[in-house]
Amino acid sequence: MSRVWNFSAGPAVLPVEVLQEAADEMLDYKGTGMSVMEMSHRSKAFETIINEAEADLRTLMNIPDNYEVLFLQGGANTQFAMIPMNFMKNRKAGYVITGQWATKAWKEAAIFGEAVELASSKDKTFSYIPDCSDLPITDDMDYVYICENNTIYGTKYKTLPNTKGKDLISDQSSCFLSEPVDVSKYGMIYAGAQKNVGPAGVVICIIRKDLISEDVLPGTPNMLRYKIHSDNGSLYNTPPAYGIYICGKVFKWLLKNGGLEAMKEKNEKKAKLFYDYLDSQDFYKGTVVKEDRSLMNIPFVIGDKELEDKFVAEAKKAGFENLKGHRTVGGMRASIYNAMPYEGVEALVEFMKKFAAENK
Ligand SMILES: *Cc1c(COP(=O)(O)O)cnc(C)c1O
């Protein structure tokens, strides 16, 4: 068997130990004689899986008791609609536009009410995080929305916006569990699992309980009401059971490896290795202002399309996969999520040095 160094932005690399465990349990999960894929979501075995997943996530993130944890379907894109449908009581909310995902969420919210652009970094291809210390937030806004780590552009908020007392809703899809966060600073955090946690199909929502109510916009379907999912412990419908099982294993892997403090340290070390190299030479260029660099997604360019294509092709031959940049940025992008070992980044930097020397 041979595994590549997988730098995909998502679905992305998972810990080998987790995949191995899942493989070992594939045909007979803990003496049940069946795979987790084959069992009822109402069974004792699955009940234990989802309850442990929630308990472990609460431990990892130190989630206060007044926050609900939900495991839902439909990915981050469904949250773009669920958030206004459930929270836009005054039909007005503020959005900070830092990339494609924030833009999509903002446009979706505009279907339901007034979605105000509070700030934007579109003028410079989203290569920075705008100053959010004094946003034009008004009293009648229901919430303030951000995308905390911009997967495509490689930026990350280093300080949260001043929301002037409004609830902050954050899309953490590509930085979820990469470092400790203070959950109490948010009204809601959500993340599609397929970036840093597990397989596609699960979206994890952490919502302050007082925000969850029956008072939603008229016409909101039951499946899109947080209250329904919360009342039913994420089992209103058949949940993405196998995905939740893998997420649960990743939570246990994180706990075993020192939790989010340790993960932050590892992620900073990996990112430093990469950025230090980027800053030490001029063949490759990072596309993001230094203060706002992401620990997870690192876009970089050579500035010559032909050489960039050659880089991606030769990297693939050398065992480095999914390094092609997003079409709106061009060049390359290395996503170095929790499950990417230091050795993977080290190997990539060595490859980059060699490629630069050969193609200068
Ligand atoms: C990938 C991504 C999304 C979209 O996720 P889907 O599961 O495809 O809906 C949204 N936000 C961020 C930050 C992402 O990285």
Side-chain angles (χ1 to χ4, degrees):
M1 185 187 65
S2 84
R3 293 201 21 108
V4 295
W5 294 119
N6 181 5
F7 292 93
S8 172
V13 59
L14 287 170
V16 174
E17 296 94 313
V18 166
L19 296 175
Q20 191 57 61
E21 247 183 63
D24 293 344
E25 293 172 349
M26 182 59 81
L27 297 182
D28 178 6
Y29 176 73
K30 294 193 173 167
T32 57
M34 60 179 100
S35 154
V36 172
M37 271 185 261
E38 301 170 295
M39 65 177 56
S40 165
H41 58 296
R42 312 270 175 212
S43 65
K44 260 266 154 307
F46 187 72
E47 195 182 297
T48 306
I49 288 170
I50 193 168
N51 288 345
E52 275 187 24
E54 177 175 341
D56 288 339
L57 182 63
R58 283 185 179 278
T59 306
L60 268 175
M61 293 182 75
N62 198 14
I63 300 174
D65 287 342
N66 63 326
Y67 283 75
E68 188 73 46
V69 174
L70 302 174
F71 296 97
L72 305 179
Q73 271 164 322
N77 271 274
T78 302
Q79 293 310 306
F80 298 166
M82 280 179 82
I83 288 160
M85 288 177 118
N86 284 267
F87 301 139
M88 220 191 222
K89 321 246 188 245
N90 286 324
R91 303 257 184 181
K92 191 169 174 184
Y95 281 71
V96 183
I97 310 303
T98 53
Q100 179 174 303
W101 299 121
T103 304
K104 270 186 103 177
W106 174 51
K107 288 191 172 155
E108 192 76 12
I111 296 173
F112 304 99
E114 193 183 342
V116 179
E117 177 189 303
L118 295 171
S120 169
S121 51
K122 194 176 178 190
D123 59 338
K124 291 181 182 158
T125 326
F126 301 116
S127 56
Y128 69 103
I129 298 289
D131 177 8
C132 293
S133 58
D134 186 19
L135 298 169
I137 295 164
T138 52
D139 247 3
D140 53 352
M141 287 183 185
D142 291 300
Y143 57 84
V144 171
Y145 181 101
I146 61 168
C147 178
E148 204 161 326
N149 184 80
N150 295 280
T151 324
I152 294 172
Y153 301 95
T155 58
K156 160 98 204 290
Y157 284 79
K158 301 296 158 81
T159 46
L160 293 177
N162 172 6
T163 62
K164 304 185 178 174
K166 296 292 167 193
D167 291 314
L168 180 65
I169 298 187
S170 175
D171 176 357
Q172 286 193 354
S173 293
S174 50
C175 59
F176 195 62
L177 303 180
S178 64
E179 58 184 306
V181 294
D182 181 352
V183 176
S184 71
K185 288 190 175 152
Y186 301 81
M188 170 177 178
I189 293 169
Y190 75 93
Q194 77 272 23
K195 304 290 161 59
N196 202 23
V197 188
V202 186
V203 61
I204 297 164
C205 298
I206 302 168
I207 310 172
R208 211 178 61 235
K209 283 180 180 166
D210 62 277
L211 290 173
I212 302 175
S213 83
E214 265 151 26
D215 180 19
V216 296
L217 296 191
T220 302
N222 283 331
M223 265 299 282
L224 302 187
R225 293 172 187 235
Y226 294 120
K227 180 81 167 70
I228 295 261
H229 291 292
S230 149
D231 285 349
N232 290 279
S234 300
L235 298 175
Y236 170 68
N237 65 313
T238 313
Y242 197 80
I244 293 169
Y245 157 74
I246 299 290
C247 288
K249 285 202 179 298
V250 172
F251 301 157
K252 287 193 190 301
W253 176 80
L254 288 167
L255 286 169
K256 203 176 81 187
N257 286 285
L260 301 190
E261 283 293 349
M263 206 41 63
K264 178 183 188 203
E265 215 172 284
K266 279 185 199 159
N267 287 329
E268 282 175 345
K269 207 172 142 216
K270 284 187 289 178
K272 182 172 178 344
L273 175 66
F274 199 105
Y275 286 125
D276 280 354
Y277 171 63
L278 265 191
D279 294 341
S280 73
Q281 50 77 56
D282 56 15
F283 184 77
Y284 309 99
K285 280 178 203 63
T287 58
V288 170
V289 303
K290 283 187 189 173
E291 313 83 79
D292 299 330
R293 285 169 163 177
S294 166
L295 292 181
M296 299 277 99
N297 311 98
I298 308 181
F300 57 101
V301 297
I302 299 173
D304 174 327
K305 173 88 174 70
E306 229 165 85
L307 266 185
E308 286 167 348
D309 289 346
K310 187 177 173 199
F311 178 94
V312 173
E314 286 192 9
K316 189 177 169 70
K317 269 192 221 140
F320 304 97
E321 288 279 347
N322 293 311
L323 282 165
K324 193 171 163 52
H326 192 270
R327 65 195 145 72
T328 56
V329 182
M332 286 75 69
R333 171 177 49 172
S335 294
I336 52 173
Y337 295 119
N338 285 348
M340 171 60 65
Y342 185 81
E343 293 69 35
V345 181
E346 213 169 30
L348 177 59
V349 168
E350 285 314 307
F351 172 83
M352 288 170 72
K353 284 180 188 167
K354 188 167 148 280
F355 185 87
E358 289 167 1
N359 292 277
K360 258 203 192 314

